[in-house]
Amino acid sequence: MAYVDEDGTSGSGDELSMLDGHKPHPVVVRSGSGGRKRSRKVTGDAIVDAMLEIAAASKMRASVILKNEERFCISKCIKVLDELQRVDERVYFRALDLFENSSGARETFVSLKGEKRLPWLQGKCGVPFS
């Protein structure tokens, strides 16, 4: 417990007891504005922690988006297209236009099973199935 001298300053209490000849009485001093400062610091720390978590989540999300974009990028589609057998030149070049203009088409093309890719491309390019 803290002791408060008559002038409001805190001390050990020995000075007070020597002046009046009595044992010092404990006085509880409330933290007042000091408690608010501590509270602000705790709140500030919580805000900083929350912001750091948001930043980390944002970074993770950006990383996932980049990986997803890489998975369905045009170069990946061309690589898969080049691996297909019996692709007519007309279908090939129309497929390149399709990939350039539609991220949805790139995603669908890469996600399809191998044997489904060529018929899907032929349908998209207006070429009869072979």
Side-chain angles (χ1 to χ4, degrees), residues 31-87:
S31 57
S33 64
R36 285 190 208 128
K37 286 181 185 174
R38 189 175 321 124
S39 170
R40 284 185 198 144
K41 182 175 179 354
V42 170
T43 303
D45 290 348
I47 290 171
V48 168
D49 290 344
M51 290 178 75
L52 289 172
E53 284 183 36
I54 290 169
S58 180
K59 258 182 143 174
M60 189 182 318
R61 184 173 183 267
S63 173
V64 169
I65 289 170
L66 284 174
K67 285 179 183 176
N68 199 33
E69 286 177 359
E70 289 173 11
R71 184 173 172 214
F72 304 120
C73 67
I74 291 176
S75 60
K76 171 74 174 183
C77 290
I78 292 171
K79 182 178 182 224
V80 173
L81 181 62
D82 287 342
E83 292 170 356
L84 288 178
Q85 305 285 322
R86 299 169 292 147
V87 178

